[in-house]
Amino acid sequence: MRTRLMRIDLEARSAPSPLLEILSPFAALLGAIFIGGLVIAFIGKSPVEALFVYFLEPLGDPWALTELAVKAAPLTLIAISLSFCYRANLWNIGAEGQFVMGGLSGGIIAVVTQGGVGQETLGSWWILPAMLIAGTLAGLLYAMIPAFLKVKLGASEILTSLMLVYVAEMILDYLVRGPLRDPNGFNFPQSVPFDDVARMPFLMEGERLHGGIVIAVLAVAIASFVMRRTLFGFDVALVGSAPKAARFAGFSDAKLTLAVFAISGGAAGLAGVCEVAGQIGQLQPVISPGYGFAAIIVAFLGRLQPWGILCAGLVLALTTIGGESAQISMKVPLDMTRAFQGILLMCVLAADVFTRYRMRITFARRG
Amino acid sequence: MNIEIIELILITVLTAAMPLVIAAIGELVTERAGVLNLGVEGMMIMGAASGFAIAIMTGSSALGVLGGIGAGVALSAAFGVLTIFLAANQVATGLALTILGVGLSGLIGSGFVGMKRDAIAHLHIPGLSDLPLVGKLVFGQDPFVYAGIALVFGVAWFLKKSRAGLTLRAVGESHTSAHALGVPVRRIRFLAVLFGGACSGLAGAYLSLAYTPFWAPGMTAGRGWIALALVVFASWRPFRAFAGAILFGGATVLQLHAQAASFGIPGQALTALPYLATIVALVLLSLNKRRGAVAPAALGTSFIPER
């Protein structure tokens, strides 16, 4: 009996192909759109209409463009900081929890100072900066838990950082339904609305664009500088690609782990405060539509490169907005967006393989 | 406390532990072959959604269970192709699988929210099932519980005593040595990944067809992640995974009772308990690790054979 067997072989390229590195995210996006279209067709909707609603319609609508920037800002800020972790081959997947803790801590300051409390002598100028600092610190400290457990005890940072997401969500839920609840809020589980002094400055009168967007773009520029021009950036990349060489060169694993977790936790916390002080304006039981998880996809779609991440943040924000309008106009469940994001990440990872390897498929004959 | 209450508590602990047992045993085999699949949560919830949807549409629980297993296998196959044949990063691919699974399960389940069907029937052997204390515990469970326990024993035997199990462990310890001996490393890893997917799908189907016989979005509530932690906690050994799952099942039941009794502890604190317990378990294990409980040496690394 003769059977034909397929054999897949990967050959490492001596150097990653620069052209393919630029093309691969686009190929991945096209692949994901194709597979996503199949899923849409499978649930009995028109893939062509979906393509239009998800990717093209928002681009022609000024309101949606504003919304795009508002949603891309936290995604980019978190993803950019996660890219430090992932470059060093460390897996902080709990940014969602660090985001929540940041938003909560900043929000507590806003709630406590609401109505002019504590502003008799100093005035109110310090409230927003204090919120931003508190949020950043809270996210940073929360990320230190998995980092310390990893460094001191060798516990898997993947699992501990993820478990802490659930814990953070429960802490926020408890506080917003309990001690932080607005006493005049008709028993709704939400805090008092923040005063204007505790809100992010808006870029334009009557617009939704807030200062968080500026922070996100700044973070991209800073990260780009740190990764390319500093010893720390080099260290991160070296530990990720050649851990033995890095150890031999005298870089400390433990310090680096703490540092990249501090960066990612701090930035996620900052993104959390920007969200509550920018677009929400009060504390609610849920303050993130999954930014911390979507940011993981953004980081990889952007190939862990700062400016690539900025573009990827916009793409992911587009799918979220498109998903919201598809829910209304096409009655496609919101879960489609998440499924698409999962497909997209898988396509990105698959496309990435071809930048590093040549694939050879042979059909071997076996007697 | 009388005997009936003790029996009832033991039964609820065992059933709460069972989805963790089944999913953890599957992931244990996958990891023993050297592959870390972080997509357990995604495969599990797809198993729950597909299993329930198919059971409602066909009216057959058996087909539902098969559908759940099939969904887990399908997702794990995608993971296997990417990580084993294309050498994609296992951590990132596993995360993608979870995100995909949670999203797809929502799509599949959206038409079935709020529907109810009878839970899969429990075994009943006249006489034996009516024995005090052990009757219902040993002779009156649903088929999943027996399947789960059989899995634990079967996998323990397979890994320790069978030749195929030895080969699988060799692949997980050193793929280069195994390859040099002519072992088809990638094929064995792929099969181990599929087995893990099947178990996760089965664990999901258990949730939506027997444990709480309905579909709710996000109903796995992190059980897949806890199963992953259990594998580490168990030092990659089947019976320890079973014992760990029972401990967690116990914690879950305790938490439910504490919420019902409301001792003035906020419900959120109790809900967070299993997740905190997982962290504590991982920390305890790490302390223990210095005394020789180690992961498969090749865990999480890709194998690319030389031509």
Side-chain angles (χ1 to χ4, degrees), chain B residues 107-161:
Chain B
L107 278 183
I108 292 173
S110 61
F112 299 91
V113 175
M115 288 190 184
K116 270 194 178 158
R117 67 193 300 278
D118 291 332
I120 288 177
H122 287 220
L123 182 72
H124 186 85
I125 304 169
L128 283 178
S129 298
D130 305 321
L131 288 173
L133 189 59
V134 292
K136 286 211 175 58
L137 184 63
V138 180
F139 302 107
Q141 301 285 357
D142 58 53
F144 290 96
V145 174
Y146 300 112
I149 291 169
L151 265 177
V152 175
F153 280 92
V155 165
W157 173 84
F158 170 79
L159 288 175
K160 205 160 188 189
K161 302 278 182 190

Side-chain angles (χ1 to χ4, degrees), chain A residues 55-94:
Chain A
F55 292 99
L56 300 177
E57 213 173 51
L59 295 176
D61 174 0
W63 181 86
L65 283 179
T66 313
E67 201 60 21
L68 193 66
V70 170
K71 287 207 158 69
L75 286 174
T76 306
L77 181 55
I78 302 169
I80 206 91
S81 62
L82 286 178
S83 68
F84 282 93
C85 282
Y86 299 163
R87 276 179 171 230
N89 227 349
L90 290 163
W91 299 95
N92 177 8
I93 58 172

Side-chain angles (χ1 to χ4, degrees), chain A residues 103-254:
Chain A
L104 172 63
S105 309
I108 288 175
I109 295 184
V111 170
V112 169
T113 59
Q114 200 258 348
V117 179
Q119 298 162 32
E120 295 82 2
T121 47
L122 281 172
S124 61
W125 60 268
W126 57 272
I127 292 177
L128 185 65
M131 286 168 67
L132 294 178
I133 292 168
T136 309
L137 277 180
L140 189 154
L141 290 176
Y142 206 59
M144 280 299 104
I145 302 173
F148 260 108
L149 292 180
K150 162 114 185 153
V151 170
K152 293 284 168 205
L153 301 168
S156 159
E157 80 279 17
I158 301 171
L159 294 168
T160 48
S161 64
L162 185 95
M163 288 297 141
L164 286 168
V165 173
Y166 291 100
V167 177
E169 286 174 345
M170 285 304 141
I171 294 174
L172 175 68
D173 190 85
Y174 167 69
L175 289 176
V176 171
R177 287 173 201 277
L180 294 176
R181 188 164 63 188
D182 182 0
N184 306 316
F186 305 103
N187 245 353
F188 279 110
Q190 55 195 27
S191 77
V192 289
F194 297 172
D195 290 338
D196 281 349
V197 291
R199 297 293 299 269
M200 290 296 275
F202 285 79
L203 301 184
M204 274 171 276
E205 215 39 50
E207 279 277 7
R208 290 162 54 74
L209 294 173
H210 57 75
I213 294 157
V214 180
I215 293 180
V217 177
L218 270 179
V220 173
I222 294 170
S224 177
F225 175 79
V226 170
M227 278 179 187
R228 279 158 205 251
R229 304 261 176 236
T230 64
L231 185 64
F232 176 72
F234 173 72
D235 185 4
V236 168
L238 186 65
V239 168
S241 58
K244 277 184 194 154
R247 234 164 274 146
F248 194 65
F251 290 121
S252 151
D253 274 3

Side-chain angles (χ1 to χ4, degrees), chain B residues 43-301:
Chain B
M43 299 188 292
M44 205 168 169
I45 197 151
M46 272 292 281
S50 321
F52 189 74
I54 290 172
I56 289 273
M57 286 191 298
T58 62
S60 154
S61 298
L63 286 179
V65 173
L66 284 179
I69 294 175
V73 170
L75 278 188
S76 67
F79 173 87
V81 168
L82 277 173
T83 56
I84 296 168
F85 294 108
L86 295 180
N89 181 302
Q90 291 178 10
V91 175
T93 311
L95 282 175
L97 198 68
T98 288
I99 297 170
L100 172 65
V102 172
L104 274 185
S105 69
L107 278 183
I108 292 173
S110 61
F112 299 91
V113 175
M115 288 190 184
K116 270 194 178 158
R117 67 193 300 278
D118 291 332
I120 288 177
H122 287 220
L123 182 72
H124 186 85
I125 304 169
L128 283 178
S129 298
D130 305 321
L131 288 173
L133 189 59
V134 292
K136 286 211 175 58
L137 184 63
V138 180
F139 302 107
Q141 301 285 357
D142 58 53
F144 290 96
V145 174
Y146 300 112
I149 291 169
L151 265 177
V152 175
F153 280 92
V155 165
W157 173 84
F158 170 79
L159 288 175
K160 205 160 188 189
K161 302 278 182 190
S162 80
R163 190 176 171 80
L166 181 69
T167 314
L168 181 132
R169 283 189 286 138
V171 166
E173 291 298 335
S174 168
H175 45 222
T176 17
S177 316
H179 179 65
L181 290 171
V183 173
V185 171
R186 294 188 296 179
R187 194 187 309 160
I188 287 175
R189 285 200 167 156
F190 192 65
L191 290 175
V193 165
L194 293 185
F195 180 77
C199 288
S200 292
L202 178 65
Y206 173 69
L207 284 176
S208 65
L209 293 174
Y211 190 62
T212 49
F214 56 79
W215 158 255
M219 71 186 296
T220 49
R223 283 190 181 85
W225 293 104
I226 292 177
L228 271 163
L230 272 175
V231 176
V232 183
F233 180 63
S235 314
W236 293 267
R237 290 189 193 142
F239 288 113
R240 288 201 198 171
F242 181 74
I246 296 286
L247 273 178
F248 267 90
T252 317
V253 171
L254 202 67
Q255 167 235 324
L256 289 175
H257 281 283
Q259 277 196 356
S262 79
F263 300 119
I265 307 165
Q268 291 92 342
L270 293 167
T271 310
L273 196 66
Y275 310 113
L276 286 169
T278 306
I279 296 175
V280 172
L282 286 171
V283 168
L284 288 180
L285 174 92
S286 309
L287 292 173
N288 194 30
K289 204 186 281 180
R290 312 244 150 99
R291 281 186 276 132
V294 284
L299 184 61
T301 54

Side-chain angles (χ1 to χ4, degrees), chain A residues 260-345:
Chain A
V260 292
F261 266 82
I263 292 173
S264 53
L270 181 60
V273 198
C274 291
E275 188 70 7
V276 294
Q279 85 140 352
I280 306 177
Q282 64 183 169
L283 286 176
Q284 298 167 347
V286 176
I287 60 172
S288 166
Y291 284 137
F293 294 116
I296 298 170
I297 302 168
V298 172
F300 280 100
L301 181 61
R303 297 195 52 84
L304 306 182
Q305 304 286 344
W307 298 101
I309 287 173
L310 184 61
C311 301
L314 289 166
V315 170
L316 261 268
L318 185 64
T319 62
T320 314
I321 295 162
E324 282 166 7
S325 50
Q327 188 190 22
I328 297 160
S329 66
M330 294 178 66
K331 308 244 173 314
V332 175
L334 266 187
D335 295 294
M336 182 62 214
T337 311
R338 191 174 259 224
F340 177 78
Q341 292 173 348
I343 294 168
L344 179 60
L345 180 50

